[in-house]
Amino acid sequence: MRLEDLTVIKPAPTPGDTSWFTHDRFGMFIHWGLYALGARHEWLKNYERIPTEIYDEKYFRHFDPDLYDPALWADAAKDAGMKYFIITTKHHEGFCLWDSAYTDYKATNTPYGKDILTPMVEAFRSRGLRTGFYHSLLDWHHPDYTVDHCHPMRDNEEYIAGDKDRVLSRYVEYLHNQTEELLTRYDPVDIIWFDFSVGPGGRFAGKGKEVWRSEELIEKIRKINPKIMIDDRLQIDQDVKTPEQYMPDGWYKVNGVPVVWEGCHTFSGSWGYYRDEQSWKSVDQLLKMLIDSVSMGGNLLLNVGPTGRGEFDERAYDRLRGIGKWMKRHSRSIYGCTQAPLEFECPRDCRYTYNPDTKRLYLHMYSWPFGKIRLTGEVAEHVEYIQILSDASEMRFSYNPENKTVDIPLPIYKPLGADIPVLEIYLK
Ligand code: JFZ
């Protein structure tokens, strides 16, 4: 087969502009709010059934991130090879990071006394990263937000009885108003990442696209910025599917059609800062999550949960630096890449990514076979030249036309400075 006749998957077209997104592949998620002070998961208010009065008495009244410097955060993201960031403007707790005209429950009214969001957007944009806002549909603080099976007060009969005086549509108006406020004030925002539509549970009704007035909200958003990307958690699929905390086993599909997708993951078991949580992933695991995602045509959104002082903790910096060290020499196998042609069989313990523009194939070697590695099938007759990506050192190979294989002799030891070695294969 000719190279141009090989099958390279393209995702279904999207309403928003996803061209930069499917090129850039790698972003930073940031979960930051009052829950950072509790330092034991962003669902702390829910897990411990904490009433708002007590939650605010403890965390709103003590929120003062004196070491907050978004330039350091933006540097860490850029140096790790991340090309966009998505910040929680408001998480389920309802606390707003920006100086919103629609609420007093915001950073400017805490002891910190300043707008958190504006300097953060400026710091990341000035380093060339695209801007995304995570905005919670759930709101455990707003007086008109009714109880559902995810609400912190779901076991409190007295609080539940108060639902008769709560007007949920008033909360939804607030949600629409704040969305327009954010997207107008920080225009052009590249991604709005809503979260999440809660299903019915126990005695409680759910909250989905009808309650949120999702169709109307999407129209309002696209009037402000027609190119913006919108996620799928308003219960109306838009620009990107968002598998969370798991790796799909192939290109994410909707009704059998490959779509734009992004896996979102944490370093540890929590999105928000969790001081005593020990399940932190290694740099090797995190790199393989990035490579796996791109090898299946997807993106990776990797989360940091800053502390109550406004810093990334050392465990996060350690992993970001480790990822950045690999990306410095290997980002060519990530940016602009996607799933390899379907006709290419990938060797055992390896992953292919492919740049359709440069016609270069990248072989990521999760293990270093003894003696040689063999490429078999369709790919073999397209190999023109091979080098180790990290140092551009030639890898000589032999092509056997009888069995259509390419053998690449390997040195005993894998290349220095390449935790996960990559062969850059020029195709013809
Ligand atoms: C949601 C948030 O609850 C979580 O705190 C974090 O922000 C994450 C990125 O998004 O997590 C979810 C959302 C939906 C489900 C489970 C976790 N769900 O529908 O089962």
Side-chain angles (χ1 to χ4, degrees):
M1 281 176 85
R2 296 181 312 162
L3 197 56
E4 53 272 29
D5 297 332
L6 294 171
T7 315
V8 178
I9 291 181
K10 286 191 186 322
T14 56
D17 173 16
T18 51
S19 57
W20 65 270
F21 185 79
T22 53
H23 174 277
D24 290 350
R25 292 299 183 203
F26 190 27
M28 176 181 276
F29 217 166
I30 302 172
H31 276 66
W32 199 35
L34 300 178
Y35 43 79
L37 292 175
R40 50 189 192 277
H41 203 280
E42 75 285 354
W43 274 57
L44 149 74
K45 188 173 184 181
N46 171 295
Y47 294 155
E48 299 177 19
R49 310 288 195 282
I50 304 174
T52 290
E53 306 69 49
I54 295 173
Y55 192 86
D56 292 349
E57 186 59 31
K58 289 206 284 182
Y59 306 131
F60 186 84
R61 289 192 58 237
H62 295 99
F63 186 74
D64 187 9
D66 59 319
L67 300 179
Y68 170 55
D69 179 354
L72 299 178
W73 295 11
D75 285 341
K78 182 177 171 66
D79 293 348
M82 293 161 160
K83 294 290 190 178
Y84 58 100
F85 85 107
I86 299 180
I87 174 65
T88 52
T89 51
K90 178 196 84 167
H91 203 263
H92 308 336
E93 65 178 6
F95 176 70
C96 299
L97 295 188
W98 79 104
D99 188 10
S100 172
Y102 295 98
T103 181
D104 294 333
Y105 200 48
K106 56 188 177 180
T108 42
N109 289 344
T110 66
Y112 182 66
K114 291 181 280 185
D115 170 7
I116 292 271
L117 189 60
T118 304
M120 191 188 303
V121 170
E122 286 167 355
F124 279 81
R125 278 180 173 161
S126 66
R127 287 159 179 79
L129 279 82
R130 297 249 183 176
T131 304
F133 289 162
Y134 164 114
H135 197 68
S136 176
L137 299 168
L138 283 59
D139 193 312
W140 299 332
H141 178 271
H142 193 279
D144 284 313
Y145 189 85
T146 53
V147 182
D148 52 45
H149 77 91
C150 290
H151 196 286
M153 293 294 105
R154 61 194 178 280
D155 301 330
N156 183 316
E157 289 307 327
E158 187 186 350
Y159 188 91
I160 295 168
D163 263 9
K164 66 182 183 331
D165 303 321
R166 296 183 184 104
V167 182
L168 184 57
S169 60
R170 246 194 327 241
Y171 164 70
V172 176
E173 199 54 31
Y174 169 78
L175 169 69
H176 281 229
N177 289 338
Q178 281 201 324
T179 301
E180 290 185 294
E181 179 183 51
L182 279 166
L183 298 186
T184 305
R185 188 174 302 181
Y186 295 98
D187 189 46
V189 173
D190 299 290
I191 307 175
I192 181 87
W193 211 98
F194 288 108
D195 185 43
F196 62 96
S197 290
V198 57
R203 61 200 267 206
F204 303 109
K207 295 184 176 78
K209 58 187 175 186
E210 292 74 22
V211 168
W212 310 132
R213 295 168 23 218
S214 297
E215 217 165 303
E216 182 190 338
L217 184 53
I218 290 167
E219 262 176 60
K220 288 175 180 174
I221 290 166
R222 296 219 183 274
K223 271 209 187 75
I224 297 166
N225 178 4
K227 300 171 81 174
I228 195 170
M229 288 179 59
I230 305 174
D231 76 331
D232 55 344
R233 298 186 178 194
L234 277 169
Q235 273 188 346
I236 299 177
D237 281 356
Q238 289 291 301
D239 300 290
V240 58
K241 295 301 286 180
T242 57
E244 178 179 325
Q245 298 284 40
Y246 75 93
M247 192 55 67
D249 54 9
W251 195 308
Y252 199 99
K253 293 185 174 71
V254 172
N255 302 325
V257 178
V259 293
V260 174
W261 68 273
E262 170 195 70
C264 56
H265 294 268
T266 51
F267 281 136
S268 72
S270 171
W271 299 91
Y273 180 65
Y274 196 141
R275 180 191 65 218
D276 304 336
E277 216 281 335
Q278 300 305 326
S279 67
W280 283 68
K281 300 173 181 77
S282 67
V283 170
D284 183 67
Q285 273 177 303
L286 295 162
L287 284 172
K288 285 175 179 171
M289 288 162 65
L290 174 60
I291 296 162
D292 284 357
S293 301
V294 179
S295 76
M296 298 183 285
N299 283 34
L300 177 69
L301 183 64
L302 203 44
N303 180 76
V304 181
T307 70
R309 294 290 299 274
E311 290 190 291
F312 289 179
D313 76 294
E314 276 315 310
R315 296 169 295 185
Y317 273 125
D318 171 65
R319 283 145 181 89
L320 290 168
R321 280 192 286 264
I323 293 168
K325 178 170 167 269
W326 185 86
M327 284 291 277
K328 179 170 181 274
R329 296 188 180 90
H330 299 89
S331 61
R332 245 179 17 224
S333 76
I334 300 295
Y335 302 146
C337 289
T338 187
Q339 182 171 322
L342 298 185
E343 292 81 3
F344 288 3
E345 299 155 26
C346 192
R348 190 176 59 234
D349 275 349
C350 295
R351 299 293 186 276
Y352 275 144
T353 63
Y354 177 60
N355 186 320
D357 297 331
T358 61
K359 303 283 184 280
R360 291 182 197 177
L361 182 68
Y362 296 92
L363 180 66
H364 301 77
M365 301 175 69
Y366 286 6
S367 62
W368 190 253
F370 181 73
K372 71 173 180 184
I373 189 161
R374 170 168 286 184
L375 308 185
T376 57
E378 185 62 43
V379 65
E381 63 181 294
H382 293 283
V383 177
E384 178 192 70
Y385 181 78
I386 305 175
Q387 62 182 11
I388 293 180
L389 182 56
S390 59
D391 65 358
S393 57
E394 182 185 8
M395 292 295 281
R396 285 172 289 178
F397 63 92
S398 57
Y399 174 60
N400 179 336
E402 264 91 68
N403 58 10
K404 270 189 153 185
T405 56
V406 160
D407 282 346
I408 311 166
L410 296 175
I412 296 294
Y413 299 107
K414 69 180 182 181
L416 294 176
D419 303 345
I420 299 175
V422 181
L423 300 188
E424 185 172 46
I425 303 171
Y426 290 65
L427 299 182
K428 60 181 189 301

